[in-house]
């Protein structure tokens, strides 16, 4: 049993693992309040966030919790029964009773509802205000719950002994005024009131989660850090290093090439445009136009001029992160300040807070909270910060304020997430004072859908796009979709192309077809006899593996060796690589345009060919988005065949792309709000007016709810997945570094080391579907790490050629040869 001062006058929030030191409840509440205020002040909700922090653990001011935490810490292998203590409800009940129950002021009621939901939810995820059973779970919790509330008055009295009621009331009045101000901002900017308010609650929740976890971690580690960091010096150093790098290109042998001159001109336009204030802009540099460094130049200059705190690149594919981050790291040479976050190595560890599991606590504190000035992440992770379940993802949301957000290849926003993406970016632009730049050569016109983006006036950064497009034309597109090709026919077609050119890229829509075609090519005598090198790329390979294959491919290209690279779409955007010929299986016209960007990329050769084919073997039953995009592309291909002059005789022209996106959004207009098939509702509506559930409550009880807020957060989060059936992360033993990480993660790891190890592990992760995991598990090829919170693969279930081998069997990294 832990020894502690029995005459302690205050209650216990935490007991440090290493030395049994105590953090009192009042110390913890004060620390979290300060963190919440610092985070909340970014968007003008200082007191709303501060009250959430000040009251979140009010329920720990009880003898029953003190006994509970002492027993749990004394016996970590046999903690108290789950659900035996509820410390989350008390703070929500306190603010509800004091400021909501008898109030008639709408802003006062909303302030209490927003703060209280954050408090009662801080161990699990935001609760529904209204649910599908025509109940009001939030109201039931703060107004009616009795179980576990026996010492509520004790907790309230203890809190008010440290915070004078008059002081608290003044603080709440300031919070109430922040609600009024926020509602005015929403009206002034023409935002959707209900869902924007829901995102404000999410932001408050993010402030609380991060401040709570950070204060607890700092207590565990025995040191304090400032809540915010000034990165202006980093941005200034980075800008100087980038400009030195860009000036070095001006002395190169091809500096006067017309395309390089155009790249320099567009880069200068990015620099000049950085003077503009915060807003939502587009950067439509053609493929191969130097978008990565030009956008970084804009972002660094804009951050310096307008005091932005971080720059965040949001990309659709991990390969873009891997390449762009490496390129920028090589220039900046400050790796610790550049964060790549593309894989959640661990599943979410949220619980209701009632079970004191020491190991879960350590793991939870280790999650990264995006506290770096330059971040590379994926569209999946960006959308997860707003809409995914639990507390792990939303913790990072407040870091998106006062930032420069570069959305690379923004046309890849999943169709069912378009409305959710748009309202999130609008929220960050208006409330977060963040600047969003939509980067792509194929702009998807997100301002024209129903729940649209609020684009800034004169939004395009490049002023002379029409003049720029023609010099960047490096390919012609040949439509061969009329007769589908089987694998052997496609292999023969590739061999025929190799008689004309030396380097061919083939992009197919499914991993299985990529693998089959690779095998077809590998078995063709003509390929081997002519010394053609074959390369395979797919998402069955971890990031480090793909990077190695890409580098070998680039080396072979540089040596002018004959080669064929067969890949899924992971190679078609953001990868700086150039082939003599590209063959693209039918997909969206935007994907075809991106694939074309890997052909004759630097314009050194005459116009090269991009062939669009139909693979007879591809099954797109489980890839409905690709199938829909392919169908729409066929419409445009047919129109182009009949009247090419309508599109400037160029299938990849801006007019062809506009036509494609107009048809595409019209085809999927019923999907844009994230429909939930089993309920007939949309996720967007659950967070917006939520009329169906509101009407259901009114019918059941014959009156309106006692609360003003309507969002069904928990219900929406249960249904939200950026990519349905996206699989679970599995660590793979790709190389010696990966195997060493697996060994380390198999032991006991402290939070300060775990964060670093998990970041390093991201490059060795492959997402696998449940049925594949079950097959591997049945064969004994999956094993658990970190008490089952991380999955890893045995060695011989991973191959040099294809990555994960579902039927493989192997040994553990520590079992010897």
């Amino acid at each position: 049993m832990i020894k502690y001062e029995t005459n302690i006058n205050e209650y216990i929030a935490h007991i440090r693992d290493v030395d049994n030191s105590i953090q009192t409840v009042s110390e913890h509440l004060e620390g979290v309040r300060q963190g919440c205020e610092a985070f909340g002040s970014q968007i003008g909700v200082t007191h709303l966030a501060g009250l959430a922090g000040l009251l979140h653990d009010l329920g720990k001011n009880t003898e029953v919790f003190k006994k509970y935490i002492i027993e749990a810490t004394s016996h970590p292998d046999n903690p108290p029964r789950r659900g035996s203590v509820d410390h989350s409800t008390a703070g929500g009940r306190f603010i509800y009773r004091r400021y909501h129950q008898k109030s008639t002021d709408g802003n006062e009621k909303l302030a209490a509802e927003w703060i209280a939901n954050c408090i009662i939810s801080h161990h699990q995820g935001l609760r529904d205000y209204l649910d599908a059973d025509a109940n009001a779970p939030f109201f039931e919790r703060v107004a009616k719950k009795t179980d576990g509330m026996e010492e509520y008055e004790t907790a309230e009295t203890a809190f008010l002994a440290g915070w004078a009621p008059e002081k608290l009331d003044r603080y709440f009045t300031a919070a109430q005024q922040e609600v009024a101000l926020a509602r005015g901002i929403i009206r002034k900017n023409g935002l959707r009131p209900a869902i924007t308010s829901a995102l404000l609650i999410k932001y408050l929740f993010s402030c609380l989660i991060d401040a709570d976890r950070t204060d607890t971690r700092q207590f565990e580690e025995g040191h304090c850090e400032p809540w915010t960091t000034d990165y202006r010096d980093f941005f200034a150093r980075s800008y100087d290093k980038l400009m030195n790098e860009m000036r070095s290109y001006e002395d190169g042998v091809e500096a006067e090439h017309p395309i390089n001159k155009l790249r320099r001109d567009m880069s200068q336009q990015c620099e000049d445009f950085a003077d503009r204030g915060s807003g939502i802009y587009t950067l439509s540099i053609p493929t191969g136009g130097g978008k990565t460094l030009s956008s970084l130049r804009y972002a660094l200059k804009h951050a310096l001029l307008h005091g932005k705190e971080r720059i965040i690149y949001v990309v659709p594919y991990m390969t873009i992160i891997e390449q762009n981050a490496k390129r920028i790291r090589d220039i900046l040479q400050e790796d610790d300040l550049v964060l790549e976050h593309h894989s959640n190595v661990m599943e979410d560890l949220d619980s209701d807070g009632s079970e004191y599991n020491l190991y879960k606590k350590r793991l939870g504190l280790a999650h990264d909270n995006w506290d770096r000035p330059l971040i590379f992440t994926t569209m999946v992770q960006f959308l997860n910060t707003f809409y995914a379940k639990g507390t792990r993802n939303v913790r990072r949301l407040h870091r998106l304020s006062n930032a420069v957000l570069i959305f690379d290849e923004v046309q890849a926003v999943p169709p069912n997430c378009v409305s959710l993406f748009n309202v999130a970016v609008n929220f960050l632009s208006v409330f977060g004072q963040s600047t969003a730049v939509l980067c792509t050569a194929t702009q998807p016109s997100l301002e024209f859908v129903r729940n649209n983006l609020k684009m800034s006036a004169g939004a395009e950064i490049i002023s002379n796009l029409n003049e720029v497009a023609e010099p960047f034309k490096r390919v012609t597109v040949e439509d061969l979709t009329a007769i589908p090709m089987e694998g052997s026919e496609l292999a023969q077609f590739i061999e025929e192309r190799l008689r004309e050119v030396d380097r061919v890229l083939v992009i197919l829509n499914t991993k299985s077809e990529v693998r089959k075609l690779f095998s077809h090519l590998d078995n063709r005598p003509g390929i081997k006899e002519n010394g053609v090198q074959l390369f395979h790329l797919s998402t069955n390979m971890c990031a480090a593996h793909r990077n190695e294959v890409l580098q070998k491919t680039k080396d072979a290209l540089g040596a002018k060796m004959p080669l064929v690279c067969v890949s899924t779409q992971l190679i078609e955007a953001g990868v700086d690589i150039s082939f003599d010929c590209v063959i693209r299986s039918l997909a969206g016209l935007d994907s075809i345009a991106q694939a074309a960007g890997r052909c004759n990329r630097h314009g050194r050769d005459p116009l090269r060919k991009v062939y669009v084919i139909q693979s007879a073997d591809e099954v797109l039953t489980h890839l409905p988005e690709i199938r829909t995009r392919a169908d729409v592309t066929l419409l445009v291909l047919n129109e182009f065949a009949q009247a090419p002059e309508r599109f400037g005789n160029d299938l990849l022209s801006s007019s062809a792309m506009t036509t494609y996106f107009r048809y595409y959004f019209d085809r999927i207009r019923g999907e844009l709000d994230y429909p939930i098939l089993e309920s007939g509702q949309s996720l967007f509506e659950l967070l917006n007016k939520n009329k169906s559930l509101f009407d259901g409550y009114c019918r059941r009880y014959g009156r309106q709810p006692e609360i003003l807020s309507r969002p069904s957060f928990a219900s929406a989060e249960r249904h939200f997945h950026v990519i349905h059936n996206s699989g679970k992360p599995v660590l793979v033993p790709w190389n010696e570094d990966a195997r060493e990480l697996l060994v380390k993660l198999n032991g006991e790891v402290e939070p300060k080391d775990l964060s670093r190890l998990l970041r390093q592990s991201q490059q060795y992760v492959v997402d696998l579907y449940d049925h594949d995991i079950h097959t591997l598990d049945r064969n004994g090829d999956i094993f658990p790490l970190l008490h089952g919170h991380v999955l890893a693969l045995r060695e011989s279930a991973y191959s040099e050629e294809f990555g994960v081998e579902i039927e493989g069997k192997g040994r553990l990294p520590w079992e010897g040869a």
Side-chain angles (χ1 to χ4, degrees):
M1 177 67 73
I2 290 173
K3 294 182 180 180
Y4 67 100
E5 294 295 332
T6 55
N7 62 347
I8 189 170
N9 294 321
E10 292 200 75
Y11 295 97
I12 301 173
H14 301 108
I15 299 175
R16 186 181 294 145
D17 297 340
V18 294
D19 60 7
N20 295 333
S21 294
I22 287 172
Q23 183 187 40
T24 66
V25 175
S26 59
E27 289 169 342
H28 180 55
L29 294 183
E30 179 58 24
V32 177
R33 178 186 69 82
Q34 292 176 11
C36 284
E37 286 184 349
F39 300 152
S41 65
Q42 297 281 4
I43 70 165
V45 291
T46 305
H47 298 87
L48 285 164
L51 274 170
L54 181 64
L55 298 170
H56 79 287
D57 272 355
L58 183 147
K60 290 184 176 181
N61 283 321
T62 62
E63 291 298 324
V64 67
F65 185 83
K66 183 188 291 185
K67 178 181 177 181
Y68 169 83
I69 193 172
I70 292 171
E71 182 180 347
T73 312
S74 301
H75 306 287
D77 296 327
N78 185 28
R81 179 180 59 83
R82 181 185 177 103
S84 58
V85 175
D86 171 4
H87 75 268
S88 301
T89 302
R93 173 159 297 181
F94 174 77
I95 204 162
Y96 173 80
R97 286 185 174 180
R98 189 171 186 88
Y99 300 112
H100 188 290
Q101 204 163 32
K102 298 178 182 178
S103 175
T104 58
D105 182 89
N107 292 327
E108 187 171 13
K109 283 180 174 289
L110 288 173
E113 290 170 13
W114 294 2
I115 296 166
N117 201 354
C118 294
I119 292 169
I120 68 172
S121 307
H122 75 273
H123 279 285
Q124 190 172 24
L126 286 166
R127 307 303 174 98
D128 286 339
Y129 286 107
L130 302 172
D131 69 14
D133 296 323
N135 290 319
F138 164 81
F139 176 74
E140 296 290 328
R141 180 80 175 267
V142 296
K144 296 183 178 181
K145 188 177 188 290
T146 57
D147 181 43
M149 301 304 294
E150 294 80 7
E151 290 191 60
Y152 168 76
E153 282 73 18
T154 300
E156 180 182 319
T157 300
F159 172 76
L160 289 175
W163 262 77
E166 298 81 9
K167 178 183 176 184
L168 186 68
D169 292 343
R170 289 195 299 272
Y171 197 98
F172 182 82
T173 297
Q176 177 184 341
Q177 292 167 349
E178 288 169 357
V179 171
L181 181 61
R183 296 174 79 186
I185 292 172
I186 290 171
R187 287 192 298 271
K188 178 181 176 182
N189 289 275
L191 302 180
R192 292 187 175 272
I195 197 166
T196 306
S197 297
L199 297 185
L200 263 173
I201 299 170
K202 286 268 188 175
Y203 188 96
L204 295 172
F205 192 52
S206 173
C207 296
L208 173 59
I209 297 303
D210 195 19
D212 181 26
R213 306 297 192 263
T214 301
D215 183 77
T216 303
R217 175 182 58 79
Q218 291 182 3
F219 169 71
E220 289 286 347
E221 295 175 357
H223 75 278
C224 291
E225 303 162 359
W227 290 106
T228 58
T229 305
D230 188 342
Y231 288 118
R232 281 176 295 184
D233 287 345
F234 168 75
F235 290 142
R237 293 193 305 272
S238 298
Y239 176 80
D240 290 341
K241 291 175 183 176
L242 176 64
M243 293 310 298
N244 286 336
E245 177 79 8
M246 299 187 84
R247 278 191 288 271
S248 71
Y249 301 154
E250 297 177 12
D251 300 325
V253 293
E254 295 189 345
E256 296 307 308
H257 190 286
I259 281 183
N260 288 328
K261 287 184 176 181
L262 281 172
R263 285 171 178 157
R264 288 199 298 273
D265 175 68
M266 289 186 289
S267 176
Q268 184 62 51
Q269 289 190 57
C270 288
E271 164 105 10
D272 298 340
F273 202 89
D275 290 342
R276 295 269 299 267
S278 300
I280 302 176
Y281 304 114
T282 58
L283 177 59
S284 305
I285 288 179
T287 302
K291 181 178 56 182
T292 299
L293 296 189
S294 293
S295 63
L296 180 63
R297 182 177 181 180
Y298 166 85
L300 289 168
K301 188 65 177 289
H302 189 74
L304 286 167
L305 290 174
H306 300 280
K308 304 303 181 188
E309 293 188 6
R310 59 186 43 80
I311 297 166
I312 302 176
Y313 275 84
V314 181
V315 304
Y317 310 123
M318 287 187 286
T319 44
I320 303 179
I321 285 184
E322 294 149 13
Q323 174 177 284
N324 290 0
K326 181 181 185 306
R327 189 175 186 189
I328 289 173
R329 284 181 190 276
D330 289 345
I331 295 171
L332 303 188
Q333 296 292 311
E334 295 194 56
D335 282 4
D336 189 54
L337 296 179
V338 181
L339 172 68
E340 295 171 58
H341 183 257
H342 43 75
S343 299
N344 284 322
V345 180
M346 293 188 298
E347 293 295 296
D348 206 342
L349 301 176
D350 295 325
S351 69
D352 63 3
S354 302
E355 178 184 31
Y356 194 91
N357 184 307
L358 183 60
Y359 206 78
K360 275 191 176 182
K361 184 182 80 168
R362 289 176 177 173
L363 296 181
L365 297 180
H367 286 161
D368 203 294
N369 63 347
W370 288 2
D371 57 348
R372 298 290 193 281
L374 182 54
I375 297 168
F376 290 85
T377 192
T378 61
M379 181 61 70
V380 170
Q381 297 298 339
F382 172 78
L383 290 167
N384 278 348
T385 62
F386 281 93
Y387 305 112
K389 67 179 180 180
T391 62
R392 174 192 62 193
N393 295 287
V394 73
R395 177 179 181 180
R396 309 172 186 123
L397 194 158
H398 72 90
R399 301 288 187 186
L400 296 168
S401 65
N402 197 30
V404 186
L405 307 171
I406 306 292
F407 293 99
D408 201 0
E409 308 302 349
V410 71
Q411 78 282 353
V413 176
N416 62 339
C417 294
V418 165
S419 293
L420 297 174
F421 172 81
N422 287 350
V423 294
V425 174
N426 288 340
F427 170 82
L428 292 172
S429 173
V430 172
F431 278 94
Q433 288 299 296
S434 289
T435 291
V437 179
L438 311 183
C439 260
T440 181
T442 54
Q443 289 290 346
S445 305
L446 294 176
E447 69 271 30
F448 296 123
V449 296
R450 182 179 59 185
N451 295 304
N452 62 340
L453 274 182
K454 304 293 184 182
M455 304 296 296
S456 300
E460 176 54 50
I461 294 176
I462 304 302
S463 62
N464 53 340
L465 278 177
N466 290 333
E467 299 172 23
V468 168
E470 185 60 31
F472 273 93
K473 184 175 180 179
R474 302 177 298 269
V475 301
T476 59
V477 179
E478 191 164 324
D479 177 12
L480 300 180
T481 59
I483 303 176
M485 294 186 188
E486 295 181 349
S488 58
E489 294 173 316
L490 180 55
Q492 181 179 339
F493 180 75
I494 293 166
E495 218 173 334
E496 291 169 359
R497 301 287 72 72
L498 286 168
R499 299 188 191 114
E500 304 165 357
V501 298
D502 292 327
R503 292 162 288 275
V504 177
L505 171 63
V506 187
I507 303 175
L508 304 178
N509 290 317
T510 67
K511 291 183 285 188
S512 61
E513 292 313 304
V514 165
R515 182 166 179 161
K516 288 178 186 176
L517 178 60
F518 183 92
S519 298
H520 275 300
L521 291 168
D522 198 33
N523 291 323
R524 292 185 74 87
I527 295 290
K528 293 180 179 178
E529 290 170 3
N530 293 307
V532 177
Q533 292 198 51
L534 295 179
F535 297 96
H536 166 279
L537 284 166
S538 85
T539 51
N540 267 356
M541 304 154 76
C542 69
H545 189 176
R546 292 195 302 269
N547 283 341
E548 182 169 299
V549 174
L550 275 169
Q551 189 56 53
K552 289 180 177 178
T553 307
K554 290 179 180 180
D555 291 344
L557 288 166
K560 301 189 182 305
M561 302 174 70
L563 65 89
V564 177
C565 178
V566 187
S567 176
T568 59
Q569 65 180 18
L570 66 86
I571 199 174
E572 74 182 10
V575 179
D576 189 5
I577 197 166
S578 182
F579 294 82
D580 301 332
C581 166
V582 169
I583 300 167
R584 181 58 165 98
S585 182
L586 184 64
L589 188 61
D590 54 329
S591 293
I592 293 168
Q594 294 296 338
R598 304 322 111 193
C599 186
N600 193 19
R601 184 170 177 82
H602 304 294
R604 297 189 180 109
D605 302 318
L607 291 179
R608 293 291 192 179
K609 289 285 185 70
V610 173
Y611 299 95
V612 182
I613 59 102
Q614 282 209 64
S615 169
D617 300 326
E618 278 186 350
V619 179
L620 301 179
T621 305
H622 299 296
L623 297 170
E625 182 188 343
I626 292 178
R627 187 174 58 200
T628 300
R629 287 178 179 264
D631 289 344
V632 174
T633 299
L634 283 176
L635 291 176
V636 180
L637 288 173
N638 289 335
E639 290 189 13
F640 183 83
Q642 294 169 17
E645 65 278 1
R646 280 184 51 204
F647 307 100
N649 295 301
D650 182 2
L651 190 56
L652 303 182
S653 66
S654 59
S655 57
M657 206 61 62
T658 299
T659 300
Y660 164 78
F661 277 116
R662 188 173 73 245
Y663 289 166
Y664 175 63
F665 282 132
D666 183 64
R667 178 77 66 93
I668 66 166
R669 60 184 179 275
E671 301 176 32
L672 299 177
D673 291 352
Y674 204 112
I676 302 170
L677 298 180
E678 52 264 51
S679 68
Q681 297 172 286
S682 73
L683 198 146
F684 184 92
E685 185 57 22
L686 285 176
L687 299 175
N688 194 35
K689 295 180 179 179
N690 210 1
K691 187 176 186 302
S692 177
L693 299 192
F694 178 81
D695 290 345
Y697 185 96
C698 294
R699 285 194 301 271
R700 177 175 180 178
Y701 294 100
R703 55 176 169 78
Q704 293 190 0
E706 291 85 349
I707 53 177
L708 300 180
S709 301
R710 298 187 186 183
S712 297
F713 290 112
S715 296
E717 290 172 4
R718 276 197 303 274
H719 292 287
F720 181 76
H721 302 280
V722 179
I723 303 172
H724 285 283
N725 302 316
S726 59
K728 293 180 181 178
V730 176
L731 283 174
V732 300
W734 154 240
N735 57 17
E736 190 56 42
D737 288 342
R739 290 188 284 275
E740 185 178 331
L741 276 170
L742 296 184
V743 172
K744 289 178 179 178
L745 291 171
N746 191 51
E748 296 293 326
V749 187
E750 292 300 316
K752 65 181 188 314
D753 299 319
L754 185 58
S755 295
R756 174 179 52 82
L757 292 175
L758 291 178
R759 282 198 296 271
Q760 292 174 0
S761 299
Q762 289 182 116
Q763 61 183 316
Y764 305 117
V765 165
V766 174
D767 283 340
L768 296 178
Y769 295 119
D770 285 341
H771 62 269
D772 289 334
I773 290 176
H774 291 154
T775 300
L776 288 162
D777 187 42
R778 187 173 61 247
N779 294 336
D781 292 319
I782 289 279
F783 60 95
L785 300 174
L786 296 177
H787 294 232
H789 297 299
V790 172
L791 295 178
L793 195 70
R794 292 177 187 265
E795 285 194 51
S796 62
Y798 195 87
S799 79
E800 177 83 17
E801 209 162 51
F802 298 115
V804 176
E805 297 278 8
I806 303 301
E807 299 298 334
K809 289 188 176 182
R811 55 183 171 79
L812 299 173
W814 48 86
E815 289 180 335

